[in-house]
Amino acid sequence: MALARMTALMAALAVTSVAACDKLNEGKRTRYDGVPFAVKTKALDKKRNRALFEVTVRDANRSLKGARLAAIHEGTRYCIENYGNSDINWQDDPQEEEAALRLSGSSALFQGTCDS
């Protein structure tokens, strides 16, 4: 009986710890328009041309303005890290607020090319 209680207590603590880690990580993310977004930037074809990249902003519906700002920031960071400058030719410029967003589920997708 004591072993069962101890196992149940440890399982409850593990679940609580995971939930707390998610909250802590969200607090460390940069906020765009007050919203912390999960953002991923990757080259579309690493072997041929790292300059062409895609930014994926998850849960873009939380703030379309924030999703655009997150894409600009992450695209700029990507180009600086890979090419040493922040010049980007965007396929669909996230700075153009009137431009429609390309969505995949609830994620906004942006493509750009680092201008080297």
Side-chain angles (χ1 to χ4, degrees), residues 26 29-37 62-63 65-67 69:
E26 186 171 290
R29 284 192 203 143
T30 302
R31 294 177 181 270
Y32 304 94
D33 195 33
V35 179
F37 288 100
R62 294 171 64 194
S63 167
K65 178 182 177 183
L69 293 170

Side-chain angles (χ1 to χ4, degrees), residues 52-63:
L52 183 60
F53 67 92
E54 181 175 74
V55 178
T56 304
V57 182
R58 289 184 43 207
D59 298 324
N61 57 338
R62 294 171 64 194
S63 167

Side-chain angles (χ1 to χ4, degrees), residues 62-82:
R62 294 171 64 194
S63 167
L64 298 180
K65 178 182 177 183
R68 291 177 185 277
L69 293 170
I72 293 166
H73 180 261
E74 290 300 313
T76 301
R77 183 188 57 75
Y78 176 86
C79 289
I80 289 172
E81 286 178 0
N82 288 285

